[in-house]
Amino acid sequence: MATHKTRMLIIGSGPAGLSAAIYGARAMMEPIVVQGLQPGGQLTITTDVENYPGFKDVIQGPWLMQEMEAQAVHVGTRMMWDTIVDVDLSGSPFRAIGDSGDIYEGDTLVIATGAQAKWLGVPGEMELGGKGVSACATCDGFFYRGKKVAVIGGGNTAVEEALYLTNHSDDVTLIHRRDELRSEKILQERLFANPKIKVLWNKAVDRFVGDPLSGGLTHLALRDTVTGETSDFAADGAFVAIGHAPATELFKGKLPVDEGGYLIVEPGTPKTAIPGVFACGDVMDHTYRQAVTAAGTGCMAALDAERFLSGLSIDLMGHAEKAEAI
């Protein structure tokens, strides 16, 4: 068991956390990144990435995250292979306890724990992930130009995904397990008015069918939620759009969250309700959820952490105290 001290502690190692680390390291804050259960974040389970600025050719998500981590380490970040199981935000230095038993102390804390797409949990879903099954139309819709696609869900996320996909496909089907949508009325009006979108009511997906090694998804095995009748629905791509779950369990009761569980920040900033504690990336962003926006808020968190520390003096024990005016 050991205690690790830093001027900037970062929990999470996706684009937000690593961007914060790069900026923090360049500001000589010697950041520590605790990587968590999914080092590299959601991009490590994404194959083709075509919308991250700076690359004219398609790149691979895991490769991009390896490069980000290498850059962060190169400029002075310490990467720790651990998972945080508890935090103490009662005052600076902020403390985080790892599953290893190690303690991490930071004069500032950057929360970049991200969010995970909710999945149906049916056979074929994980096996065909990136091979016809996705949870992000904005990320992957481009690969289905002119093809037949399905969206599963009935809330705002599903309707927004279906509408977005009409930019690429003339054959979009929304599959919903009930007989009415839960999305906002204005979104429903746009959906029903779009000639490229059809709706299958009272249908649940029992299985995604296809060959991950050749061709990918071929069809969805459906079940009627009223009659129990089964059927097959042919599709080239299927987008699971039943929402996202931000990784905020650690901070429940310690930081304010909205009704969706996302950390609440001061509008236009990564500042949480506790001075010196910042949140960036998908853990506070339920609107955009893109790698590039996560990286941008990570940069903002590091810059704000540096400004926060500029009003503090660090004593010899590594604790932060307000600098007295001379």
Side-chain angles (χ1 to χ4, degrees):
M1 226 168 60
T3 299
H4 311 276
K5 298 185 178 184
T6 176
R7 299 187 73 200
M8 184 168 73
L9 175 61
I10 302 167
I11 305 176
S13 56
L18 292 178
S19 295
I22 291 166
Y23 274 81
R26 286 174 56 82
M28 309 304 290
M29 288 193 283
E30 299 181 330
I32 288 176
V33 171
V34 184
Q35 302 208 49
L37 286 172
Q38 190 179 53
Q42 292 185 78
L43 273 184
T44 59
I45 57 171
T46 302
T47 51
D48 294 346
V49 175
E50 202 168 25
N51 55 7
Y52 198 85
F55 304 95
K56 67 180 178 65
D57 296 320
V58 177
I59 58 174
Q60 299 299 299
W63 175 84
L64 178 60
M65 297 319 301
Q66 288 170 9
E67 291 296 298
M68 279 194 194
E69 179 180 331
Q71 183 180 5
V73 171
H74 177 71
V75 291
T77 300
R78 283 184 285 167
M79 305 295 299
M80 308 298 290
W81 294 83
D82 205 348
T83 301
I84 299 303
V85 295
D86 196 14
V87 292
D88 179 357
L89 308 183
S90 58
S92 183
F94 305 104
R95 290 164 56 90
I97 300 170
D99 186 58
S100 66
D102 283 9
I103 296 172
Y104 304 88
E105 292 186 352
D107 295 314
T108 58
L109 174 65
V110 174
I111 301 168
T113 48
Q116 295 290 332
K118 295 178 182 176
W119 295 95
L120 297 172
V122 300
E125 189 172 44
M126 292 298 103
E127 294 86 348
L128 290 164
K131 307 287 176 55
V133 177
S134 171
C136 181
T138 312
C139 310
D140 299 329
F142 183 78
F143 301 110
Y144 297 91
R145 288 171 293 172
K147 297 185 177 182
K148 183 178 181 180
V149 296
V151 177
I152 300 99
N156 284 352
T157 299
V159 175
E160 289 168 353
E161 299 266 272
L163 289 167
Y164 173 80
L165 284 166
T166 60
N167 293 316
H168 304 293
S169 170
D170 293 334
D171 192 347
V172 179
T173 300
L174 182 70
I175 300 172
H176 186 39
R177 61 184 299 116
R178 298 183 178 86
D179 59 2
E180 62 179 2
L181 300 176
R182 293 174 288 107
S183 63
E184 296 171 2
K185 293 300 180 185
I186 188 169
L187 288 175
Q188 293 189 39
E189 290 171 5
R190 292 173 186 166
L191 180 91
F192 297 140
N194 196 308
K196 297 180 181 180
I197 302 175
K198 299 184 289 292
V199 181
L200 281 182
W201 301 106
N202 297 319
K203 295 291 189 292
V205 178
D206 278 347
R207 178 186 297 269
F208 294 97
V209 183
D211 186 347
L213 299 179
S214 61
L217 179 75
T218 57
H219 65 277
L220 288 67
L222 303 180
R223 172 178 43 83
D224 191 291
T225 56
V226 176
T227 67
E229 182 183 355
T230 59
S231 61
D232 289 342
F233 181 84
D236 301 299
F239 295 84
V240 178
I242 57 175
H244 285 72
T248 52
E249 282 301 317
L250 271 176
F251 311 102
K252 295 284 176 68
K254 299 174 182 178
L255 284 170
V257 297
D258 65 15
E259 64 273 9
Y262 291 84
L263 291 177
I264 295 174
V265 294
E266 183 182 314
T269 81
K271 297 176 183 177
T272 71
I274 298 177
V277 177
F278 307 92
C280 56
D282 288 8
V283 76
M284 48 71 77
D285 173 18
H286 54 75
T287 304
Y288 300 104
R289 297 193 302 264
Q290 298 298 303
V292 67
T293 52
T297 56
C299 162
M300 293 161 64
L303 294 175
D304 279 347
E306 183 183 5
R307 293 183 183 120
F308 175 81
L309 286 176
S310 70
L312 302 173
S313 63
I314 309 302
D315 66 24
L316 294 178
M317 297 298 291
H319 293 79
E321 296 178 344
K322 269 290 182 185
E324 294 182 354
I326 298 176

